[in-house]
Amino acid sequence: PADVRGGPGASAGAPPPPPHTDVRLVVKADVAGSVEALLSALASIEVPGVAVRVLHAAVGPLTASDVNLAVAAGAHIVMFHQRSCQDSSVQASLESVQKLHGLRVVSDDVIYRLLDDVAAIMAGAAPLLPVEEVVGRAHVKAMFTLSAKGGKIENGIAGVAIETADGATTSGAPADGTAAAT
């Protein structure tokens, strides 16, 4: 018997590869050891279909070039032990860019909370993955050949009965036409 699969994205062929998304980050921290620990911890976050891509990581306060890089690359800014910008013009630029471009700034002194915030950003960027569900099995009851001018056509039409997952048997496809035999 053949599986009858229903729902969005059902197809008779092989499933397409899962989509992949990068979450781009600009990382700033107070000391080199914090940068290294943060980069290692960021690399260990696993969200299906999403990967962390650190564009720039450095020690010290956030600078205008960090903000410009984040805006140009569509990146988020991650600051560890960096409560605010030391330069008021950079702070004003950052606030303006956040409103205009939707730039997210994640800042915390506790690495676990910072990682939770980045994981939430990654989860929000995760692509929707199609789910294939077996809704029943098709049992071929009879094969019907088709005829045409010049002879018969091979692989005609199959008459089937569908056995649903709950054991009921029916003839024909679901009313929405989403079932496909594989």
Side-chain angles (χ1 to χ4, degrees), residues 145-146 152-156:
T145 56
L146 300 175
K152 81 176 184 181
I153 299 173
E154 293 186 33
N155 298 330

Side-chain angles (χ1 to χ4, degrees), residues 12-180:
H20 178 79
T21 303
D22 283 336
V23 170
R24 294 172 294 279
L25 302 175
V26 172
V27 177
K28 297 295 284 202
D30 58 343
V31 294
S34 293
V35 171
E36 290 174 18
L38 189 53
L39 292 177
S40 176
L42 287 170
S44 70
I45 298 175
E46 293 184 16
V47 174
V50 182
V52 169
R53 185 167 161 221
V54 177
L55 303 177
H56 176 65
V59 172
L62 192 66
T63 65
S65 63
D66 296 328
V67 174
N68 291 336
L69 173 62
V71 169
H76 304 285
I77 296 175
V78 177
M79 298 191 308
F80 185 62
H81 281 285
Q82 301 286 320
R83 275 291 169 205
S84 63
C85 303
Q86 290 181 351
D87 186 340
S88 60
S89 65
V90 173
Q91 184 67 36
S93 171
L94 180 61
E95 289 169 4
S96 170
V97 165
Q98 281 181 284
K99 291 177 186 171
L100 187 62
H101 296 283
L103 178 76
R104 288 207 43 199
V105 177
V106 178
S107 179
D108 210 310
D109 291 336
V110 178
I111 194 167
Y112 300 107
R113 288 193 304 236
L114 191 70
L115 294 174
D116 286 345
D117 290 344
V118 172
I121 291 171
M122 291 173 68
L128 297 177
L129 302 175
V131 176
E132 197 171 90
E133 178 181 321
V134 174
V135 295
R137 298 204 178 279
H139 299 279
V140 177
K141 296 292 186 182
M143 291 292 294
F144 303 96
T145 56
L146 300 175
S147 60
K149 289 183 182 179
K152 81 176 184 181
I153 299 173
E154 293 186 33
N155 298 330
I157 299 173
V160 300
I162 307 293
E163 182 181 334
T164 60
D166 63 4
T169 302
T170 181
S171 294
D176 66 2
T178 57

